[in-house]
Structure formats: structure tokens, C-alpha cells
Amino acid sequence: MSLLSVDNLHTRYVSRGRTVTAVDGVSLTVAAGETVGLVGESGCGKSTLGKTILRLVDPAEGSIRIAGQEIATLGQRALAPLRRNMQMVFQDPYGSLNPRQTVGTLLETPLKVHGMGSRRERRAQVLDILARVGLPPDAAARYPHEFSGGQRQRIGIARALVLKPQLVICDEPVSALDLSIQAQILNLLVALKRDLGLSYLFISHDLSVVRYFADRVLVMYLGRIVESADHATLWRDPRHPYTRALLSAVPVADPTYPRAPVAMRGEVSSGPATGCRFRTRCPIAIDRCAVEDPMLNDLGGQHRVACHRLE
Amino acid sequence: MMYPLLRVEDLTIGFPAATVVHEVSFEVFPGETMALVGESGCGKSITAFALMRLLPPGARILRGEVMFDGINLVTAAPRTLRDVRGRTLSLILQEPMTSLNPVLPIGMQIAEVMRRHEGIGKAAARRRSVELLELVGVTDAQRRYDDFPHHFSGGMRQRVMIAMAVACNPKLLIADEPTTALDVTIQAQVLDLLDSLRRQLGMAVLLITHDLGVVAQWADRVTVMYAGRVVEQAPVRPFFASPRHPYARGLLDASVGHDGEAHYTTRRLNEIPGSVASAAFEHGCPFAPRCPVRIDACRLSSPPLVALVPEHRVACIVTAGTEHVPAVG
Amino acid sequence: MPLEGALDRSADAAPPIARPLARGRSGRLLRACVTNPAFLVGLMILLTVVAVALLAPWLYPGDPQDMVAVPAMWPGEDWEHPLGTDSLGRDVAAGLAHGARVSLLVGLSAAAIGLTIGTVVGASAGYFGGVVDNALSRLTEVFQTVPTFLLVIVIVAIVQPAASTIALAIGVAAWPTVARLVRAQFRSLREADFVMAARSLGYSSPRIIAMEVLPNALPPVIVTTSVMVANAILTEAGLSFLAMGDPNLVSWGSMIGDGRSLLRTEWFLTALPGAAIALTVLSLNLVGDGLNDILNPRSGLA
Ligand SMILES: Nc1ncnc2c1ncn2[C@@H]1O[C@H](COP(=O)(O)OP(=O)(O)OP(=O)(O)O)[C@@H](O)[C@H]1O
Ligand SMILES: Nc1ncnc2c1ncn2[C@@H]1O[C@H](COP(=O)(O)OP(=O)(O)OP(=O)(O)O)[C@@H](O)[C@H]1O
Ligand code: SF4
Ligand SMILES: [Mg+2]
Ligand SMILES: [Mg+2]
């Protein structure tokens, strides 16, 4: 049984009378011990999907099961004890840390709320997790604003891990970090995964990081999953035109390498109302794309793509 | 010889309890893109703030000079600074959420910059703001003009910041990790946008980033910092062909992308052993505790930045000792 | 923890990073005094005024309205009455001391009333949003369109002009400012990522409101409060000057009102209570600014 299984999830935001469907019928699973990468255009709903799965944003419809238990309809009170097992590393490392609490308080409160350990044990755990993410012990007495962007990101990671959850949704956990610390954090996440059997839903726009770290990758476009494949397949044989555009845009760390033009027209839009949402930017669109919405279609070997040209 | 647009010399910045930027010197020439890379916490953002004279409370410029466009920004009067900031020198901050006002519509925040510096009318400012939003790839800009920052995704907020920063066609744009929150296609769009603005307006860009791919593809020169000091400085081609400072080499080595096939199940990523050294390190080379080629002399004094070949400067006595060092200058 | 951490070997080499000198609230207060002389000056003046107000019954026993000496005596003429006497022979120093009681009392109670109403209205509007927010915001706007001073005059004209009703009137007229501020704070904080993070960690709603939202929402309100006290003092002075204050009490405003007719000759009768008002209001503003720095952990005083 998978640890997390999400079925036909929809999330809508209503702001000033306008409805935005940020997540539009997403289904996915994360097995115990598995790392699923989630990539996609900025604004396509990755963070919203992560927040909806953790019930930080209410789903409009669909089901979310954690270890078989349906949580899409649970009240916040019933959810509170379950939250210990599912945590999130937030995208904005500063905004997600209360500016008026010291790092020590930030890390200790979750343990206190979930009644874990005595005061002394909690302190020890805080110091332990700080050390694990590469921060000095005296960081506990300081406020978030006294740290650089990357250091704050590590505080966020420490907070998500301090409860020793089973599922961690990492929303861009290393994008604010320089390469050597990025390598340290990724190695750390790998080690924790091995030792605790953690599962990750790993949101990132850094494709080389996802390639290294994920077992399976989902590509999202405007609220939908458009391609899903295991990591090796996706890089060897990307099929959806959006995935191809995305891969072509990865900058190569070699100045002699010519910068490739992005294989995609136009820019992010709210998507056309009918047919394939990518069709206004798609280089290979056909007439059918304007009328019919492509469904995820299995190309074999768990490689699934939503595109009419690939059926 | 071209005159630099920005010349930073011996810039030293301290908080009450520690000095976090030590004798940093570099130049940015008109129309070029200079990348500033380095370990998280090495003082890149603080340096950027110092250039704008917008240091966080407690931080002070202890020494040094920042000449920009003929003005010494370290000693300039507040009036002059206000005039420079946002007009000829602008800054894109690392944290889009905290640098946007959460209770004002984003369009208004962009319009405000233009109205203050260019004295244009309300309607004109609105029109230009909408254009700018479209320019940075916010679709439906007319309508999104009145949205509040929390209505935007992380990447979209960052683009709003960029629109705000280029609103007055600055001569130098300091961009502190401008595309960290963006996916690669939009990153390419935004950097191409900055690149074309740079070409059209002769704007120079100081690009703070940790993405070496971005450095390789979009920068002309690169300055590497470690623990508050400049350790290497070179044009990008020679830098990527052969980085000289052991830290820079470690950085390229740690890159996930440099070995395309790597997967966590088969290989651990290379790390630079040890942890971030503090900028408060008193003697010797700041990288010495983690350096694989360290010799005893490294612990004695902090190595100066010397030119190995013109334009390629390194602060490492081991590297400098094994290679021919021509006279500086 | 039983795990092999990837980073533990690097951890013990972790360096000390810049750390500020003093910690905690009191440390911050101390540093604020050292680094912000304006705050210190404001605090000293304010404490002096408070001390005088508290000690007035012992310093000047008896009713300050009593005639005690020759009228219109200049300061320094008679050391029994160091600040002179007014046109009715009342001791100016006694008036100032007792007036401080009235001014501070009215100022503080008015601010407390405004603060309570404003916080409750603003917090409900901001936290619940929707219909509640709409209704409360309209109400706030209605109150805000009426000029404060006018509203106070109307209320006082209807009810008895006693110190308590004056405080109530000023408080009732002042709450919209607080309400708007608190509402804006709650609205933006409700959306803040760290509030969402707190929910993701399973914190209860009361805990989130008390520990996460309130501490971030209150500081600007506290700062505004000091300004509110100052405004209330000014309003009370204005009322008394117009002879609409409490007729049984001496206040700074009524002293200025009484001295008005002698402005050309005995100008000190207006200048002294005027200076007292100005100093107190100034000190409250200085303290407010200082508090703003102290309560903000980003200010470098943290
Ligand atoms: N609170 C909100 N109210 C209204 N719209 C919102 C809200 N939060 C997000 N949105 C919108 O929902 C869409 C998805 O946002 P989301 O933050 O999930 O994107 P994302 O994929 O995480 O992007 P990024 O990579 O830039 O972080 C965007 O169009 C955004 O503008
Ligand atoms: N308010 C402060 N008080 C004390 N120390 C601070 C403060 N702000 C920053 N620092 C310290 O100054 C150093 C430099 O910080 P800076 O933000 O410039 O790093 P950075 O190079 O931009 O890192 P990153 O890539 O993570 O953003 C860090 O070690 C940080 O801990
Ligand atoms: S379905 Fe059509 S428009 Fe959509 S991606 Fe495929 S070819 Fe392009
Ligand atoms: Mg996001
Ligand atoms: Mg930074």
C-alpha cells in the first residue's frame, strides 16, 4: 500500500470574486521510502498541491489518503495529531519562520505540542537536529533574521525533520543553497531516508537536483500532471512537449556550450478553456488539441503522458 | 581602458560582534554582467546591501570605498543616496515576499517607484506598470495589477520585484538570486530579459547566484567569495576551464549537474569536507580548515588576491606558488 | 538519534557567528536606552510627569482650586508659590501637579477604552473576514468620517462633563484608528507563511493566535497607543480650554483657558501648562518611537 495516495484532487482559490483552479484533477501516489519529484512551471500549482495534501489549504474535491486513512474531509482538530507524520519544508525560508521566536523556540515547540520528551530531551533533540543541518549550537539563541538565506532554509529543514515524520513535502528545499551546502543537504536527506524510511514529495525547479534525488518524476503544467516517469526514463526519453522544453532550458555549467533557445512559444497563461492547456504554446499542436483535453495515457513501463500526439 | 561603473575597494562590513565582509574589492564595467558566487552565508547579500547603503541595523561599513558613477556611496549624503537608489542603481532582493509590501496591490508598488523618481502621472504610471508586468511575463497584467502579493506564487512575486527594479532603467542592477524561485524556462526568460535590457540600455548587472549554470550562460565575469573574502576573480571561460582556488574547484565538483548520470542510489554527492567557516576567522586563509591542498603557511596569514594571468586573480598561496605570477596590474 | 547523519562530522567544527550583546526583553530595553538617547529622554520626562501626578496629594495637599495668595503673582516672587499664582490667587504649581493627574488619567483611560474596542473589532474583522469583516469595516468607516474632536464635544454635551465621561467619549472617538490597524495586521498575518507552518506542525488555533499572530500584531498597536494617550491628553486640554471639561477639577487645559484673558501681561499662566502638555505629548511620542525599535527583533536591538 502506498503511504500517500491522492486521487482527482482539485484546489481552488477565490480572490476578489475570481476563481483560480490551481490544482485541477491531480492523482499521484508516493510509496513508503520513495522519493517523488515534482517539477513544473512557476505558478503551475506545485506549492498549492503540496499544501493541499497536508490540508493547509482546503481541497475543493478529491481524496487524500495517508497510510490508507482518508484525510481530505477531516476537521483540523482531528488532523492535528496526524500532522506529526507529515511535514513540509516551505518554499520561502524567511516568511515561514516566526520572526519573533528564536530558532530554539521554533524547533522545540513542535516537540512540546506533540508531547515528545522531557524538557531536557527536547533541548538535546534541538541541538542534534541543528548539528545535522550544519548549524552551530548557538544558533538556537538567535532570531531568524540573523541568518543568511541559505542558513534560514536549513532552519526550515530542521523544523520539518525534528518530529521525525514519515512523509516530508519539500518545497524547493535546496534552491536557496549554494552547491556545496546543497550537496550536504541532499546527502543528509538521502541518509535520513535510508535510516528512517522517509518518503519525500520533492518539489523543485532544479532539474539536475530532481534527477539526482528522485525515484520517479511528475511534470506539472497549469494544475495538471502532464507526464510521469521514472527518473532515468524521463531524462532519456522525455515525451511531452512541455517536458522537452523544460529540459532544454536547463543551463549548462559550461560557457562554451551554446545557450539553447527555449523550445516553447509564448509565456505562461491561464490556459485556454477547452482542449489541451498547453496548446497555445505547443510547437506540435494539431486541431484535435483545441477541442479535446488529453488524458494521461500509459506508454508502457509506467511512463505516462497526456498528449494527443503520443497516443 | 574603460572606466568601471562600480568600483568596490577594501569594503569591510561588521556587525557588533563580528566582521562578516573583509576587504572585498571588485569592479563592474558598464554593460557587463558580473556574477558573485559563494557559500551560503559568505556575505554576498550583505555586500549587495552595502552597495545600496541599506545595511540591516547593527551592520556598519568599517572600511573601504564604493565608487559608483562618480559618487562615493560610502560617504554620500542621504539625499544623494535617495536619488541614486531605485533610479540609477537598483536592487532585486533575495526574498520577494518580505520585500514586497503585503498590504499594497503589486501594481501600485511598481507605479510608486516610477512616480517617485520620474514624476509621471498616476495614469501613465499605471500604464507603464502594466507594460512592465507583461514584460516580465505576468499574463493578464491589467487584472493582476490590483492583486496583493500573497495572491502570487513564489516565482511570480520574484518577477514583480524585477519589474519594479528595472522600472527606471537603472545603470546598474544588483540582482540577489533573482531566479532562485523560478523554474528553468522562466529563469531563461528572465535572464534573457535582463540580458536584452542590459544590451539595449547599456545596463550593467551584478548577479548574485549560486547556480553555476546561470553563471556560465549569462555572466561575463565571476567573483567567488568565501567567508567574507574574495578568493577568485576571472572571466567565465577561463574560470570554468580551470578554476584555480581550491574552494572554487570544490564547488564545481559538488555540483549535481556536473556528472549528468548521478543518482542517489548509486553515488553520494561530493561535499567540501567541514562546514561553513565563519567570516570571523582570525588568522590565515579562511578556507584552510577545509582545504585539501593546505600547507602550513596557509594558517599564518590571509593570502592576498594576486593575478595569475591578467584578469584571473586568486587568493591562495599554494596556487600562486605553483604557477608563474606576473607582476600585478 | 540512531541515524548516521551526513553532516555530524562537520557540525563540531561549526563556528561562532555574529551574536548581539544583550538578550531578552530587558536586555533590549537596556540597549535601547544606550543606543537611543531620544527614547531615554522621553522615558525620563514621562516618569517625572507620572511621579508628580502620583505625589500631587502629598506635595500640594488641599484643593488646588483654593485661593492661597495674592492673585497674579509672577514665578519667583514668593518662594511659597514658586510658579506664581493666577488671577484668582490659586497656586500654579499645585494646579500643574493636580492637572497632571487629570491629564494622565483621562489620557490613559481613554487610550485603554479605545484600545479594547479597537482590538476586539479589528481582530474579529481581520481574523474572520467575510461578512463579519464587511459589517465591522463599514461601522469603523462611519465612526472615522466624523471628526474626533467634534464627536467628543457632542458626547460631552449630551452627558455630564465629568472626567470619566470625557475619557469614555475620547476613547469611543479614538477606537477606529486602532481597529483599522489591528484588522490590517491580522489580515496580513493570517496569510503569513509562518502561520501556515504553525498549522502544519499541528498547533491548535488558540496557540496560533496567542503565540504566533498576536506577538507579531501587537507592537505597532502598542506604539500607536502611546500616540493615542498623547492625543487624548490634547483633546482633554482642548475641551477644558473651551470650558467643557470637568468643572470640579483643575486640568492643564482649563488652566490655559483661565490664563487666556491675561495673556498679554501674565503670559506664564498659559505658557506653563502649555509647556507641560507639550513636554508630556513629546515624551509619549519619543517613548512610542523607542518602543517601536525595542519590539522589533529586526532592529538590531534584539
Ligand atoms: N492565496 C492565494 N489566493 C489566490 N491565488 C493564489 C493563492 N496562492 C496561489 N495562488 C495562485 O495559484 C497558482 C499556483 O500557485 P502556487 O504557489 O501553487 O505555484 P507554484 O507551482 O508553487 O509556483 P512557484 O514555482 O513559483 O512557487 C498561481 O497562479 C497563484 O497565483
Ligand atoms: N542581522 C544580523 N546579525 C548578525 N549576523 C548577521 C545578520 N545578518 C546576517 N548576518 C551574518 O552575516 C553573514 C553574511 O550574510 P549574507 O546574508 O550576506 O549571506 P549570503 O552570502 O547572502 O548567503 P546566502 O547565499 O545564504 O543568501 C552570515 O554569516 C550571517 O549569519
Ligand atoms: S495535446 Fe496537443 S497541444 Fe497538448 S501537448 Fe500534446 S500536441 Fe501539444
Ligand atoms: Mg511554489
Ligand atoms: Mg543572500
Side-chain angles (χ1 to χ4, degrees):
Chain A
M1 181 185 53
S2 35
L3 176 63
L4 168 72
S5 90
V6 171
D7 196 35
N8 193 28
L9 195 67
H10 291 255
T11 309
R12 301 197 176 97
Y13 289 113
V14 180
S15 70
R16 296 188 296 121
R18 184 156 50 81
T19 307
V20 179
T21 306
V23 175
D24 194 3
V26 166
S27 303
L28 61 89
T29 58
V30 179
E34 189 186 27
T35 303
V36 175
L38 180 62
V39 299
E41 190 136 33
S42 165
C44 72
K46 303 181 297 293
S47 301
T48 305
L49 176 60
K51 288 174 185 170
T52 312
I53 291 173
L54 293 189
R55 288 293 314 279
L56 297 171
V57 169
D58 284 328
E61 57 184 279
S63 114
I64 307 162
R65 283 168 204 278
I66 300 261
Q69 185 179 7
E70 175 64 54
I71 62 163
T73 46
L74 281 186
Q76 292 296 337
R77 201 178 285 263
L79 273 170
L82 299 178
R83 293 200 176 280
R84 209 188 123 169
N85 284 327
M86 41 186 206
Q87 281 300 310
M88 181 147 182
V89 178
F90 286 85
Q91 184 170 8
D92 180 349
Y94 189 70
S96 59
L97 302 174
N98 188 336
R100 291 179 190 277
Q101 293 180 357
T102 61
V103 171
T105 313
L106 280 168
L107 296 180
E108 194 188 334
T109 314
L111 295 170
K112 201 148 82 187
V113 166
H114 290 277
M116 291 161 77
S118 66
R119 201 182 163 81
R120 173 179 299 189
E121 283 162 3
R122 290 199 302 260
R123 291 276 150 82
Q125 282 189 46
V126 168
L127 292 183
D128 183 69
I129 198 78
L130 278 175
R132 262 166 210 289
V133 296
L135 289 172
D138 71 353
R142 298 164 60 195
Y143 289 87
H145 74 270
E146 294 171 47
F147 294 88
S148 79
Q151 291 166 334
R152 283 173 204 160
Q153 187 61 283
R154 281 182 273 164
I155 299 169
I157 293 172
R159 180 174 59 180
L161 294 181
V162 76
L163 288 173
K164 307 214 182 84
Q166 288 176 301
L167 173 69
V168 182
I169 297 186
C170 300
D171 196 355
E172 310 276 7
V174 294
S175 58
L177 305 176
D178 70 277
L179 292 172
S180 65
I181 292 174
Q182 189 167 305
Q184 287 181 346
I185 293 287
L186 287 174
N187 285 338
L188 166 74
L189 291 177
V190 170
L192 288 169
K193 176 185 153 102
R194 289 219 175 98
D195 298 338
L196 296 177
L198 289 184
S199 306
Y200 297 110
L201 180 61
F202 191 86
I203 303 173
S204 178
H205 58 255
D206 188 332
L207 293 162
S208 36
V209 168
V210 173
R211 175 178 200 176
Y212 173 76
F213 190 61
D215 298 312
R216 203 150 52 77
V217 183
L218 308 174
V219 182
M220 195 166 172
Y221 187 81
L222 281 177
R224 289 274 174 96
I225 306 286
V226 295
E227 182 158 4
S228 135
D230 75 68
H231 74 105
T233 312
L234 193 80
W235 265 268
R236 186 165 23 84
D237 186 22
R239 301 305 286 273
H240 195 280
Y242 175 66
T243 314
R244 287 165 179 249
L246 204 58
L247 291 180
S248 74
V250 177
V252 184
D254 178 358
T256 58
Y257 202 90
R259 201 191 306 157
V262 177
M264 185 163 54
R265 303 181 273 140
E267 48 195 30
V268 214
S269 70
S270 37
T274 58
C276 173
R277 291 129 203 270
F278 187 59
R279 71 165 207 270
T280 48
R281 305 174 70 190
C282 180
I284 56 166
I286 49 176
D287 288 347
R288 185 174 166 210
C289 304
V291 283
E292 201 182 324
D293 203 356
M295 292 290 125
L296 267 182
N297 172 32
D298 204 328
L299 301 179
Q302 294 298 307
H303 189 167
R304 297 193 291 165
V305 183
C307 173
H308 292 312
R309 298 292 300 271
L310 299 167
E311 277 165 14
Chain B
M1 160 119 196
M2 216 189 334
Y3 283 102
L5 174 66
L6 172 79
R7 191 168 51 79
V8 178
E9 214 164 284
D10 266 351
L11 187 67
T12 303
I13 305 164
F15 282 95
T19 306
V20 294
V21 171
H22 294 264
E23 292 145 24
V24 163
S25 305
F26 62 89
E27 282 144 10
V28 180
F29 292 94
E32 80 165 341
T33 300
M34 158 74 103
L36 192 57
V37 301
E39 191 111 15
S40 167
C42 71
K44 304 182 295 290
S45 299
I46 300 281
T47 304
F49 285 134
L51 301 186
M52 294 291 279
R53 281 272 301 279
L54 288 173
L55 284 171
R60 290 228 342 255
I61 298 180
L62 303 175
R63 224 166 328 121
E65 201 177 72
V66 177
M67 290 301 295
F68 170 72
D69 206 15
I71 305 165
N72 184 349
L73 295 178
V74 174
T75 52
R79 242 192 102 95
T80 321
L81 282 174
R82 268 201 301 278
D83 224 43
V84 168
R85 279 183 208 142
R87 196 216 290 270
T88 50
L89 176 62
S90 64
L91 174 69
I92 302 173
L93 287 173
Q94 194 171 358
E95 282 141 14
M97 195 48 180
T98 37
S99 33
L100 286 171
N101 185 339
V103 295
L104 275 188
I106 51 108
M108 217 144 126
Q109 302 190 41
I110 302 173
E112 177 58 31
V113 180
M114 284 189 279
R115 296 189 60 197
R116 197 171 57 217
H117 286 293
E118 315 213 316
I120 57 177
K122 215 172 179 158
R126 180 175 178 123
R127 211 167 338 104
R128 292 243 334 248
S129 310
V130 170
E131 281 168 21
L132 277 167
L133 284 174
E134 277 163 1
L135 190 70
V136 295
V138 173
T139 38
D140 215 356
Q142 251 329 327
R143 208 183 52 194
R144 302 223 71 167
Y145 183 94
D146 295 310
D147 274 354
F148 291 88
H150 71 259
H151 292 140
F152 285 78
S153 78
M156 296 165 96
R157 287 174 202 158
Q158 191 60 289
R159 279 181 277 162
V160 171
M161 290 296 301
I162 293 170
M164 212 171 344
V166 298
C168 298
N169 302 341
K171 286 187 184 168
L172 174 64
L173 176 71
I174 303 172
D176 192 356
E177 317 225 357
T179 57
T180 298
L182 303 179
D183 71 274
V184 283
T185 57
I186 293 172
Q187 166 169 289
Q189 278 174 16
V190 164
L191 291 173
D192 283 343
L193 168 74
L194 288 182
D195 218 44
S196 75
L197 287 172
R198 176 175 76 97
R199 232 167 285 150
Q200 284 165 24
L201 314 168
M203 174 178 86
V205 181
L206 179 63
L207 182 69
I208 301 178
T209 179
H210 57 255
D211 187 331
L212 293 178
V214 168
V215 175
Q217 296 294 323
W218 278 278
D220 300 312
R221 289 194 302 135
V222 55
T223 295
V224 184
M225 281 178 74
Y226 184 82
R229 293 171 200 273
V230 172
V231 295
E232 183 159 358
Q233 206 164 60
V236 286
R237 279 182 183 233
F239 177 78
F240 281 94
S242 67
R244 301 297 172 75
H245 195 278
Y247 169 68
R249 283 204 292 264
L251 210 54
L252 280 174
D253 247 15
S255 154
V256 185
H258 98 124
D259 170 4
E261 299 300 306
H263 193 249
Y264 79 95
T265 45
T266 55
R267 186 170 80 74
R268 214 177 119 91
L269 292 173
N270 295 326
E271 289 175 25
I272 301 177
S275 82
V276 201
S278 153
F281 202 89
E282 282 305 327
H283 298 288
C285 171
F287 191 58
R290 304 172 68 185
C291 184
V293 297
R294 176 189 59 224
I295 54 175
D296 286 346
C298 295
R299 296 182 179 280
L300 299 179
S301 71
S302 175
L305 198 62
V306 295
L308 295 177
V309 291
E311 306 244 289
H312 198 154
R313 288 180 268 190
V314 176
C316 169
I317 49 174
V318 179
T319 313
T322 52
E323 294 185 34
H324 172 65
V325 185
V328 181
Chain C
M1 287 208 286
L3 1 154
E4 264 303 301
L7 294 177
D8 26 12
R9 87 188 118 83
S10 50
D12 22 75
I17 316 181
R19 190 176 5 169
L21 305 175
R23 304 225 141 264
R25 266 302 133 70
S26 53
R28 270 192 239 168
L29 196 70
L30 215 75
R31 275 181 68 91
C33 295
V34 178
T35 55
N36 187 351
F39 173 70
L40 190 63
V41 170
L43 195 65
M44 305 270 268
I45 299 175
L46 191 61
L47 288 178
T48 313
V49 175
V50 170
V52 168
L54 287 177
L55 297 176
W58 290 275
L59 291 173
Y60 299 98
D63 191 339
Q65 308 239 41
D66 289 347
M67 193 172 138
V68 291
V70 201
M73 211 158 49
W74 273 79
E77 256 180 59
D78 176 358
W79 287 110
E80 286 272 294
H81 311 289
L83 296 180
T85 56
D86 71 358
S87 56
L88 297 174
R90 297 177 291 202
D91 187 343
V92 173
L96 283 180
H98 285 265
R101 281 174 88 79
V102 177
S103 289
L104 283 183
L105 204 67
V106 170
L108 288 175
S109 15
I113 293 165
L115 196 63
T116 314
I117 306 177
T119 307
V120 171
V121 172
S124 331
Y127 196 78
F128 297 111
V131 191
V132 182
D133 183 25
N134 265 336
L136 291 176
S137 294
R138 288 302 91 75
L139 184 73
T140 314
E141 276 161 23
V142 167
F143 267 84
Q144 212 161 30
T145 48
V146 186
T148 315
F149 197 63
L150 211 65
L151 185 62
V152 174
I153 289 184
V154 171
I155 298 177
V156 173
I158 297 171
V159 296
Q160 299 275 349
S164 54
T165 51
I166 290 173
L168 190 71
I170 299 176
V172 165
W175 69 262
T177 321
V178 182
R180 286 181 61 123
L181 190 66
V182 173
R183 171 178 174 273
Q185 287 284 315
F186 264 71
R187 269 190 72 109
S188 69
L189 287 170
R190 191 183 57 170
E191 310 280 357
D193 269 359
F194 67 83
V195 172
M196 185 169 282
R199 280 171 50 209
S200 83
L201 290 160
Y203 299 180
S204 63
S205 295
R207 175 168 210 119
I208 291 176
I209 292 176
M211 311 292 286
E212 309 284 331
V213 182
L214 259 187
N216 284 286
L218 276 186
V221 177
I222 292 173
V223 174
T224 313
T225 307
S226 62
V227 178
M228 264 173 78
V229 176
N231 282 342
I233 290 177
L234 283 174
T235 310
E236 189 279 334
L239 277 180
S240 301
F241 176 81
L242 296 176
M244 298 188 71
D246 191 329
N248 305 316
L249 295 173
V250 176
S251 87
W252 292 341
S254 67
M255 289 173 75
I256 296 179
D258 293 345
R260 191 175 40 161
S261 50
L262 300 177
L263 193 59
R264 276 167 195 277
T265 48
E266 274 77 35
W267 52 266
F268 69 92
L269 290 178
T270 11
L272 286 174
I277 294 174
L279 267 180
T280 312
V281 168
L282 178 73
S283 70
L284 281 163
N285 280 304
L286 292 178
V287 168
D289 278 353
L291 277 179
N292 197 13
D293 289 348
I294 296 167
L295 294 171
N296 181 359
R298 300 194 85 157
S299 65
L301 298 167

